[in-house]
Amino acid sequence: MEKQNNHNNSNAMIEWFKHIRMHPGLYIGRRLGDGSSYDDGIYQLLKEVVDNSIDEFVQGHGKCIEVTINDNVVSVRDYGRGITFNKMVHCMTNLIPGENAGIKPTNALSNHFIVQSILHGHVKAVEFSCGKFIRETSVKLSNQPSGTLTTFTIDDSIFGNYRWDSRHIKKMFWEFACLNNGLTINFNGQKIVAKNGLYDFLCDKVNKDEMLYEPIHFKDKFFEFVFTHTTRNSNEEYYSFVNRQYTPNGGTHLKAFLKALVKTFCRYYNKKFTSTKICNAIAVAIVIKVQEPIFGTDMKTELISDMIQ
């Protein structure tokens, strides 16, 4: 009965994947690229798959994500809760206007896209090609730990003669590890882990001999920051994130933090400092976790949600 329902729904899937394939830049960034640059589209497609696995980690399910890339075939295995079998096709294809597309562009822009869900000692797989539903397997017994295995090969008819650059992938995974303390990502056999969260991230950006003092680091469930002042000729460096999304243009979360920082310095020294004085040669990394953040553009480069003052 489940298989019949999925086949009946296949006609409804046509428009969503065709739109993504015709306008990929709307979903993964204006730059498609060939993999030579860090912001090329193929890394966004990988990010969306890994993001799902990190969501499981954040919810307390699975501390390790295994990623392998061999001959352009990408596999991402997590040890989360798995996907409910009768919702697998829906999760990979249901594109709702106004909501984050998530993993759907990866599905639509891949020649082959297979998802296996291991759940309570059973396994099921669904397969797509360029977003089109191909088949699903029956539920079988499995002795593997629960979780999800996603395997895909990006469509070279859209991305051309692309190649995966391990340097860009390791950089992305290192940032994921810094933003999710306790998470380990195993990439092609190499473990990537950050023991000290954003502290490690900032120390990777600023050399110790350039810091004027040991970075000040604070973390709670929804908010983390680390900052120090440097010898870098009055340059200000800001690295801001919202729910793992890098916001290079900052936004209300960064503005609220800097406002609070200036106020704290003024109170501590009982003097009236300007923001220019306090922020001179500062290096800051900040991440917040919020529900339903509002961004200024589709590319999510700037947060415009109101912050509590």
Side-chain angles (χ1 to χ4, degrees):
M1 179 64 69
E2 180 184 325
K3 183 179 292 186
Q4 182 65 41
N5 287 341
N6 286 337
H7 284 304
N8 289 339
N9 288 336
S10 62
N11 288 335
M13 301 176 196
I14 295 176
E15 291 304 321
W16 77 266
F17 65 75
K18 279 191 175 181
H19 190 270
I20 293 176
R21 291 178 62 80
M22 290 174 61
H23 310 283
L26 296 177
Y27 296 90
I28 62 172
R30 301 299 178 184
R31 180 184 176 90
L32 297 185
D34 60 2
S36 59
S37 297
Y38 179 74
D39 58 351
D40 283 351
I42 62 172
Y43 302 112
Q44 180 65 27
L45 297 181
L46 173 60
K47 175 183 180 296
E48 294 297 350
V49 179
V50 176
D51 265 348
N52 283 357
S53 298
I54 295 178
D55 285 339
E56 287 295 293
F57 166 80
V58 172
Q59 296 296 322
H61 305 281
K63 295 183 178 180
C64 180
I65 301 170
E66 298 172 353
V67 181
T68 60
I69 299 180
N70 186 15
D71 292 332
N72 283 347
V73 179
V74 182
S75 295
V76 179
R77 173 67 155 104
D78 68 43
Y79 297 91
R81 293 165 291 184
I83 306 171
T84 303
F85 293 148
N86 62 3
K87 294 183 178 180
M88 291 179 67
V89 174
H90 175 84
C91 291
M92 301 303 129
T93 60
N94 188 35
L95 191 62
I96 301 175
E99 291 191 2
N100 182 16
I103 200 173
K104 286 84 170 182
T106 310
N107 183 1
L109 299 174
S110 295
N111 283 324
H112 303 287
F113 185 89
I114 303 173
V115 177
Q116 297 181 52
S117 177
I118 304 97
L119 187 64
H120 306 313
H122 294 80
V123 61
K124 179 178 178 176
V126 293
E127 181 179 353
F128 304 84
S129 178
C130 302
K132 300 177 183 178
F133 175 80
I134 301 299
R135 68 184 183 95
E136 60 186 348
T137 66
S138 58
V139 177
K140 300 178 181 179
L141 291 174
S142 173
N143 59 3
Q144 296 296 313
S146 292
T148 304
L149 171 61
T150 304
T151 304
F152 61 95
T153 305
I154 290 176
D155 189 352
D156 55 9
S157 71
I158 292 178
F159 290 90
N161 188 26
Y162 71 90
R163 64 179 181 85
W164 295 99
D165 191 322
S166 61
R167 296 172 302 172
H168 300 326
I169 297 172
K170 290 176 182 178
K171 177 185 176 183
M172 178 170 65
F173 289 169
W174 168 248
E175 291 183 358
F176 286 166
C178 290
L179 296 173
N180 298 276
N181 200 15
L183 172 67
T184 297
I185 301 179
N186 191 327
F187 172 54
N188 282 355
Q190 179 180 348
K191 288 186 177 181
I192 300 174
V193 60
K195 296 181 179 180
N196 304 299
L198 277 190
Y199 178 92
D200 288 347
F201 176 87
L202 192 68
C203 289
D204 190 52
K205 300 293 183 181
V206 182
N207 295 328
K208 282 286 188 178
D209 58 2
E210 295 179 298
M211 298 178 180
L212 295 180
Y213 52 86
E214 180 71 13
I216 296 174
H217 186 202
F218 171 85
K219 178 182 179 181
D220 68 11
K221 186 176 181 180
F222 301 105
F223 179 49
E224 183 179 7
F225 69 79
V226 58
F227 73 90
T228 186
H229 285 81
T230 75
T231 59
R232 292 186 172 182
N233 299 322
S234 302
N235 289 334
E236 301 172 14
E237 297 179 56
Y238 300 114
Y239 306 96
S240 63
F241 300 84
V242 178
N243 299 347
R244 299 192 304 274
Q245 175 67 40
Y246 178 46
T247 49
N249 295 332
T252 50
H253 59 314
L254 182 57
K255 292 177 182 178
F257 169 77
L258 295 176
K259 181 178 179 181
L261 184 66
V262 172
K263 184 182 294 185
T264 300
F265 269 88
C266 291
R267 286 180 177 176
Y268 183 83
Y269 290 102
N270 195 25
K271 292 183 179 180
K272 190 173 182 179
F273 294 111
T274 64
S275 59
T276 301
K277 188 75 171 180
I278 297 301
C279 297
N280 182 49
I282 198 171
V284 175
I286 178 176
V287 58
I288 64 170
K289 298 176 182 179
V290 297
Q291 292 184 349
E292 300 181 1
I294 302 174
F295 296 96
T297 66
D298 290 339
M299 298 311 301
K300 302 179 181 179
T301 58
E302 181 179 6
L303 184 72
I304 61 173
S305 302
D306 290 337
M307 295 287 103
I308 298 175
Q309 299 296 319

